[in-house]
Amino acid sequence: MYSFVPIWMRLLITAALCCLYSASTRADIGNAPTTQGIALQALAQDPTWLKLGHYEPASDSPSGWRSAIHTETFFLNSRDGRDSPLSELQATLDALRLPADAKPDDEHAQCRFPARTLWLKKKLAGQLNFPSVSCPRWDAWAGSRQITSISLVLASGFLGNPASYYGHTLLKFNTDPSRRLTALQDLSISYGVIEDGSDSPFVYIVKGILGGYDGGFSDIEYYFHRNQYGEIELRDLWEYEINLSPDEVQFVSAHAWEVLNRRYQYFFFRKNCAFRMAEIVQIVEGVNITPPNRPWTIPQATLQQAGRERRADGSPLLKSVRYAPSRQSRFYASFNALGAQERQVFFDLVAHEQALTQAPYRALPPEGQRAVVDATIDYYQFITDAAQRSSGKLHPVYTAALAERFRLPPAPKTAEAVAPQAPHLGRAPGWFQAGWMDSDRQGQAGFVRIRAAYYDPLDSDQGHVPYSGLTMGDLRLRFKQQGIRLDQLDLVAINSANPGVTGLAGDRGQVWQIKVGAEPVKPGCEDCLAAKLQGDIGMGRRLMSGLFLAVRAGGAVQGKRADQGLGYVKAGTTLIWRPNPDWGTEINMESRWPAGSEQARYNVLKAEWRYALGRSYDIRIQHEHSSGEHGGARTLLGIGRYW
């Protein structure tokens, strides 16, 4: 465009432009922070930086990494930060060193990302200077409370909600006692599915397994969770204080602040609440509580892994364990502490609403009266739902018992729930069994059984629902000279039982069961494996310590094999006897009426006996028998290992 300009003038213009550009560049460098001399590439690959960004290996990312968080505001480099740890590191360093007045209060990067700030200040001490920034919201969340320690909290399994089948994990921030009235005021964070509750339980499970929901962290005072889990859902809680230094407590707290309200893709089996809570704790160098090499993450297994962890100085990672019994556990403790005469007075008082002025109650000594009144108060707290409590419509016997407790001489509560064995001391969630079977129709064969998770009525321990079962991916194969055959497959099997200790209203012990998978249409039937969906409902009662009886009715839909029709209706009974955690027997008896078949009613008997060989092994004997055409009997003997 300037071909007519003399050559000497072109050179003069070019030189002037270069001088202007050079001056402008020098001015920008003088005003902007510099990272010269810092090995950014190595720093961006530091394990702690990758944890801070929740980066995971990703083959389709140019950097080989992608953050599990997909909320844009989590990245200071909104364009490349999610897929590039290096770009996000550079953007973070630039933003952290902006002058304190460059952003409004709480908008400065040091306020939004206090954990990144702590780590980079320590990592680059003496290399870069960071301005002092005021962060009112972060200071109010953590600083003013003076967080002194951190605890992992486990709520036991709850079979009324698919998301809580395996239990639920929280993180609790324990604060200076002088700054609050009770530990219930401590902050806690929870991770869960973000959804509106419009999906059915079946859709909820399917989408949860396949990653169809977002998940995220939320914070609230701990008393909310204690009320929700312990008082409403009747779940015991265990609080595990973690052995961390003050600097580590500050670092974990800061990172928890960073991830609040950020969105992840939620997966029911693996990247669930236990997995994400473990990530927060594992921001501390040398701490690893996620069970390795498993396709799932179970809250109890995370605590078991934490129980095996040691700090660099050899001290255990878990510092202490505290037990918080549910309303149900508190009531059962009070009821079980009653003597024979006291129990009769309690039943008359509750079942027949006799007044506390009656002679049988007045004849009791003061300690007996306290025991009856304590059990009565605990009973009504156990059966009264949240709506009744909030409405103020309390049972007159309950209010009378409260008044009577104030009349009696002051004394501690008669009976407290005794802390059972802590869940982290229990067995592993997976199970493998190998053994031998003998069938009157199929002859002898070897078999192996793999149960991915989690427990059945004979091996449930702490953190599990007693007399219940929750199994997923339970596969049994049998071996003969002719080859390997599928013997049984339970995709999902849920057996829920409320112990119903007293049999009183609100404690009658509802039981229900649902199972999806494939099994012979009749026990003992040869070569008649079929897909099957079955379920039943009924009532159960703990007759005495360790002895549980249930009656049920239900049915099944199945593939049509061996002239057994497309399903059946059934009625049956279950007896479970566990005199101690090592021994157990379960007997199931059913009568079945086939549907869509000319076959007559037939009976089925299944009995199983188990003996635990320590925490890691057990031995079981199982017997099955069915009457009628195509029926038969077989016995299985196997040795199992928990993993």
Side-chain angles (χ1 to χ4, degrees):
M1 62 181 234
Y2 50 91
S3 55
F4 298 104
V5 178
I7 187 65
W8 62 269
M9 190 173 291
R10 295 187 211 176
L11 294 173
L12 182 61
I13 293 172
T14 302
L17 290 174
C18 288
C19 290
L20 288 172
Y21 176 79
S22 177
S24 173
T25 303
R26 285 195 300 272
D28 290 342
I29 292 175
N31 293 328
T34 178
T35 53
Q36 291 180 359
I38 298 176
L40 290 182
Q41 185 65 51
L43 194 61
Q45 295 299 314
D46 188 288
T48 301
W49 177 251
L50 296 175
K51 291 177 185 178
L52 284 167
H54 290 256
Y55 289 104
E56 301 172 342
S59 58
D60 59 337
S61 171
S63 69
W65 299 95
R66 176 170 294 126
S67 177
I69 296 175
H70 55 79
T71 304
E72 287 188 4
T73 54
F74 183 71
F75 306 100
L76 289 165
N77 184 328
S78 58
R79 185 184 65 180
D80 300 325
R82 189 184 180 201
D83 285 331
S84 175
L86 178 60
S87 297
E88 184 64 14
L89 174 62
Q90 179 65 72
T92 300
L93 287 170
D94 292 345
L96 293 181
R97 290 174 298 136
L98 288 174
D101 59 358
K103 294 281 187 180
D105 282 351
D106 297 314
E107 291 300 316
H108 195 282
Q110 291 191 34
C111 304
R112 294 171 55 195
F113 300 101
R116 296 189 195 184
T117 305
L118 288 170
W119 184 72
L120 287 168
K121 281 184 176 180
K122 181 179 179 180
K123 200 75 174 176
L124 302 177
Q127 299 182 64
L128 291 179
N129 294 319
F130 296 84
S132 178
V133 177
S134 173
C135 301
R137 288 183 60 234
W138 160 240
D139 291 340
W141 192 87
S144 63
R145 298 172 184 266
Q146 291 191 4
I147 297 172
T148 57
S149 65
I150 294 174
S151 297
L152 281 165
V153 180
L154 172 68
S156 61
F158 177 56
L159 298 180
N161 181 353
S164 294
Y165 282 165
Y166 295 107
H168 188 64
T169 307
L170 309 167
L171 208 58
K172 179 173 176 284
F173 301 92
N174 310 311
T175 54
D176 185 347
S178 67
R179 293 179 174 267
R180 37 81 167 163
L181 297 174
T182 170
L184 295 175
Q185 292 177 289
D186 288 338
L187 271 175
S188 62
I189 65 170
S190 177
Y191 179 85
V193 170
I194 301 173
E195 53 97 25
D196 59 10
S198 61
D199 290 334
S200 68
F202 176 77
V203 172
Y204 184 91
I205 292 174
V206 172
K207 291 176 69 173
I209 292 173
L210 299 179
Y213 293 114
D214 277 353
F217 288 96
S218 59
D219 63 329
I220 199 168
E221 282 78 8
Y222 181 55
Y223 70 80
F224 173 86
H225 295 298
R226 275 287 295 270
N227 181 68
Q228 178 66 31
Y229 298 130
E231 305 302 308
I232 297 176
E233 297 181 359
L234 308 179
R235 301 161 68 175
D236 292 335
L237 290 96
W238 284 265
E239 180 182 337
Y240 292 82
E241 185 178 341
I242 308 170
N243 180 15
L244 300 175
S245 70
D247 286 345
E248 291 169 339
V249 169
Q250 183 186 22
F251 191 38
V252 173
S253 304
H255 187 53
W257 166 264
E258 291 178 345
V259 298
L260 283 176
N261 303 313
R262 314 297 191 181
R263 287 180 175 252
Y264 304 71
Q265 188 176 13
Y266 178 89
F267 289 93
F268 180 77
F269 285 121
R270 179 61 174 170
K271 296 178 180 179
N272 50 25
C273 68
F275 184 91
R276 297 302 178 196
M277 289 298 171
E279 282 188 325
I280 302 298
V281 177
Q282 289 168 176
I283 202 71
V284 175
E285 186 176 356
V287 173
N288 185 10
I289 62 174
T290 303
N293 304 320
R294 291 178 183 268
W296 57 85
T297 308
I298 293 176
Q300 184 181 9
T302 302
L303 289 171
Q304 289 170 344
Q305 181 71 21
R308 293 187 287 267
E309 283 285 299
R310 295 276 169 176
R311 300 308 313 269
D313 61 1
S315 60
L317 178 64
L318 297 181
K319 188 175 182 179
S320 65
V321 183
R322 287 185 287 274
Y323 171 62
S326 67
R327 277 196 298 143
Q328 185 177 50
S329 295
R330 297 196 303 270
F331 165 57
Y332 287 165
S334 297
F335 177 79
N336 291 331
L338 296 175
Q341 185 180 1
E342 296 163 350
R343 189 167 296 190
Q344 184 58 53
V345 172
F346 167 77
F347 275 113
D348 289 341
L349 181 65
V350 172
H352 306 298
E353 299 188 10
Q354 290 189 0
L356 288 166
T357 56
Q358 297 291 325
Y361 172 76
R362 293 301 181 191
L364 294 174
E367 59 270 18
Q369 292 179 351
R370 281 198 302 270
V372 170
V373 170
D374 285 346
T376 303
I377 292 172
D378 284 339
Y379 168 71
Y380 282 104
Q381 288 180 345
F382 166 51
I383 67 169
T384 302
D385 61 26
Q388 290 174 302
R389 289 196 298 273
S390 63
S391 69
K393 296 179 180 179
L394 301 177
H395 199 283
V397 175
Y398 174 60
T399 56
L402 288 173
E404 178 69 8
R405 192 63 170 89
F406 282 108
R407 187 193 68 80
L408 292 169
K413 188 176 179 182
T414 309
E416 296 287 351
V418 178
Q421 182 189 57
H424 77 287
L425 299 176
R427 55 166 186 77
W431 182 58
F432 172 82
Q433 185 187 45
W436 164 89
M437 67 172 66
D438 185 21
S439 169
D440 59 358
R441 286 180 173 271
Q442 302 169 359
Q444 297 184 358
F447 74 90
V448 296
R449 181 179 175 185
I450 301 173
R451 188 180 74 197
Y454 177 33
Y455 65 97
D456 59 46
L458 294 183
D459 63 10
S460 60
D461 56 14
Q462 296 312 315
H464 306 153
V465 183
Y467 311 115
S468 302
L470 171 61
T471 62
M472 294 187 179
D474 191 350
L475 169 71
R476 185 165 62 206
L477 303 172
R478 70 175 187 266
F479 299 84
K480 297 184 70 173
Q481 291 183 348
Q482 295 86 346
I484 303 174
R485 303 289 295 272
L486 174 64
D487 190 67
Q488 183 172 328
L489 171 64
D490 291 341
L491 297 175
V492 179
I494 305 169
N495 187 352
S496 175
N498 189 310
V501 170
T502 65
L504 293 167
D507 188 37
R508 296 239 161 86
Q510 185 182 67
V511 300
W512 58 270
Q513 175 181 280
I514 187 169
K515 183 160 69 171
V516 181
E519 63 181 43
V521 291
K522 291 178 69 173
C525 180
E526 186 173 3
D527 297 327
C528 56
L529 191 75
K532 183 180 291 189
L533 167 64
Q534 54 186 311
D536 51 44
I537 192 170
M539 302 295 292
R541 179 79 182 272
R542 196 190 74 178
L543 303 178
M544 55 183 290
S545 179
L547 185 63
F548 178 76
L549 177 68
V551 292
R552 316 176 318 274
V557 178
Q558 64 186 16
K560 190 172 183 179
R561 299 292 301 275
D563 299 323
Q564 295 302 309
L566 295 175
Y568 52 81
V569 294
K570 62 177 180 176
T573 184
T574 298
L575 181 69
I576 300 173
W577 181 50
R578 293 191 66 183
N580 59 61
D582 294 335
W583 291 86
T585 302
E586 180 180 10
I587 301 173
N588 288 283
M589 296 175 287
E590 290 182 356
S591 289
R592 298 177 179 177
W593 289 264
S597 169
E598 296 181 358
Q599 297 293 324
R601 177 186 67 85
Y602 63 92
N603 299 318
V604 173
L605 168 68
K606 293 184 178 181
E608 187 171 10
W609 170 86
R610 174 184 182 265
Y611 177 66
L613 303 171
R615 286 176 57 184
S616 299
Y617 295 90
D618 68 5
I619 183 170
R620 300 194 187 210
I621 299 174
Q622 182 178 344
H623 180 75
E624 302 174 346
H625 178 270
S626 62
S627 63
E629 188 176 356
H630 300 291
R634 68 174 178 176
T635 302
L636 299 87
L637 170 65
I639 296 179
R641 184 182 188 280
Y642 293 93
W643 53 280

